[in-house]
Amino acid sequence: MSDAVKIKLSKKDLETDQDVRWCPGCGDYAILATVQRTLAQIGVQRENTVFISGIGCSSRFPYYMNTYGFHTIHGRAPAVASGLKITRPELDVWVITGDGDGLSIGGNHMIHALRRNMDLKIILFNNQIYGLTKGQYSPTSLPGTRAPSTPTGSVDHPLNPISLVLGAGATFVARATDTDAKLMGAILEQAYKHKGSVLIEMLQNCPVFNDGVWDAVKDDPKNQQIILQDGKPLLFANGTKGIKLGAGMTPEICDASDPGVLVHSDKGSPLYAHLLAQLVQPHFPMPMGILYRTDKPTYESLANAQVEDAIAKQGAGDLNKLMFSGMVWEVGADGTRH
């Protein structure tokens, strides 16, 4: 992240003159507003901040941020963002994607950006549907999802985004709902400070094609969410219920008084983080907050150090010399090679 002097900004400073065009009731509005408000409070440098997106409803995001931005092609936002971060490591690079864009056609790009530990802040909007292309089922859609592409219901097993990104090697993994601006803002602030690959899953409803998909989680947070706090037990239901490990290291719901209740550590082992990833609806309340974070060198820092080391040992190099070394030839006017 930039080490520049903190600048006093307001949310309005990060808004553009573009009309924000999402469907009425879409959670994207709330996410956009919270991102603008949080980055203003942080005091980011707009000229050093870039939002890069792929294809989908969420990918209109760069148009609405008064920063630099790039609306790329389907699934390729992590690849474009990686190239930018390597060549301009001083920039703060955010990636906006959805469950279709980032986990289907863009799955490979997402995985490799995370495993390399690129210093990218990736926000994944998960509404379990393709919204922009009129409601086809997506990689995260539940079995039985009826859509134009699955008129009698999907028979696919859904992909678990948190499990995927943990397996890929993300060094900061978090989750929030579009309706919890306070928690979302706190996560965004910590994500901004983190050096490395960030993935924030945003649970967001599509009011047109998949309305209410997260209502059970969002409308009853006391019973359907576990708010993660470092050093605090995994409790829910007004502190009366908890999560413990049962036989075969499987998670179980227990009374809060049970001595086996797990205590959260966002810097715990990857094994513990993978356990949290398995707490999903409808069998468990869903963990909200920072599930996992760890520190390790970023790809761009290692790559640039390697280049600097090579220059120090071999000199800056000469493009002309490179072009005319080895097997080269000239093509004459008659088409012959010399």
Side-chain angles (χ1 to χ4, degrees), residues 25-311:
C26 179
D28 291 5
Y29 287 99
I31 298 171
L32 172 66
T34 303
V35 169
Q36 290 170 332
R37 187 181 306 111
T38 303
L39 295 192
Q41 291 169 352
I42 292 171
V44 300
Q45 285 188 301
R46 289 175 295 174
E47 65 274 20
N48 281 348
T49 304
V50 187
F51 278 80
I52 296 176
S53 65
I55 296 297
C57 295
S58 63
S59 293
R60 296 184 62 83
F61 214 90
Y63 293 103
Y64 308 139
M65 293 297 301
N66 190 17
T67 63
Y68 284 103
F70 192 1
H71 190 168
T72 74
I73 57 177
H74 207 177
R76 272 60 177 181
V80 173
S82 294
L84 176 62
K85 188 64 184 181
I86 292 168
T87 54
R88 293 291 302 277
E90 77 279 9
L91 298 180
D92 299 329
V93 183
W94 297 77
V95 175
I96 304 296
T97 187
D99 49 297
D101 180 66
L103 301 178
S104 184
I105 193 170
N108 252 10
H109 295 295
M110 176 78 76
I111 288 169
H112 294 299
L114 296 174
R115 77 167 177 85
R116 289 178 175 128
N117 199 32
M118 299 298 308
D119 188 16
L120 305 176
K121 317 309 171 193
I122 303 172
I123 304 178
L124 176 77
F125 293 48
N126 184 7
N127 55 22
Q128 297 187 351
I129 206 77
Y130 281 94
L132 183 67
T133 49
K134 306 301 184 284
Q136 300 94 329
Y137 83 112
S138 83
T140 59
S141 294
L142 297 177
T145 297
R146 295 171 66 89
S149 55
T150 52
T152 57
S154 166
V155 296
D156 272 3
H157 299 292
L159 185 150
N160 183 322
I162 299 296
S163 290
L164 176 74
V165 302
L166 285 169
T171 54
F172 184 107
V173 181
R175 179 194 284 134
T177 66
D178 56 8
T179 53
D180 192 341
K182 183 177 179 181
L183 178 60
M184 192 193 313
I187 291 172
L188 289 168
E189 185 172 353
Q190 290 300 308
Y192 176 84
K193 295 175 181 177
H194 180 76
K195 287 277 191 180
S197 55
V198 169
L199 190 290
I200 305 169
E201 182 189 20
M202 293 289 188
L203 305 188
Q204 175 260 355
N205 286 4
C206 174
V208 176
F209 297 109
N210 209 20
D211 195 23
V213 68
W214 295 116
D215 279 0
V217 177
K218 297 196 288 187
D219 293 349
D220 188 14
K222 291 181 180 178
N223 292 305
Q224 300 302 328
Q225 295 183 25
I226 301 172
I227 303 302
L228 300 174
Q229 296 177 283
D230 203 43
K232 301 290 184 181
L234 300 183
L235 299 179
F236 64 102
N238 288 324
T240 63
K241 297 290 183 181
I243 302 293
K244 71 173 184 178
L245 277 181
M249 295 189 71
T250 56
E252 293 180 358
I253 294 174
C254 62
D255 289 331
S257 58
D258 193 302
V261 171
L262 295 170
V263 175
H264 180 60
S265 171
D266 57 36
K267 292 186 177 179
S269 72
L271 180 63
Y272 167 71
H274 277 282
L275 172 86
L276 291 179
Q278 303 313 307
L279 303 180
V280 294
Q281 293 282 291
H283 304 295
F284 294 99
M286 295 185 71
M288 298 290 166
I290 301 172
L291 284 78
Y292 177 73
R293 58 175 149 185
T294 190
D295 296 316
K296 67 179 183 181
T298 63
Y299 179 88
E300 63 275 9
S301 66
L302 295 172
N304 282 295
Q306 191 177 58
V307 171
E308 290 170 6
D309 182 60
I311 291 173

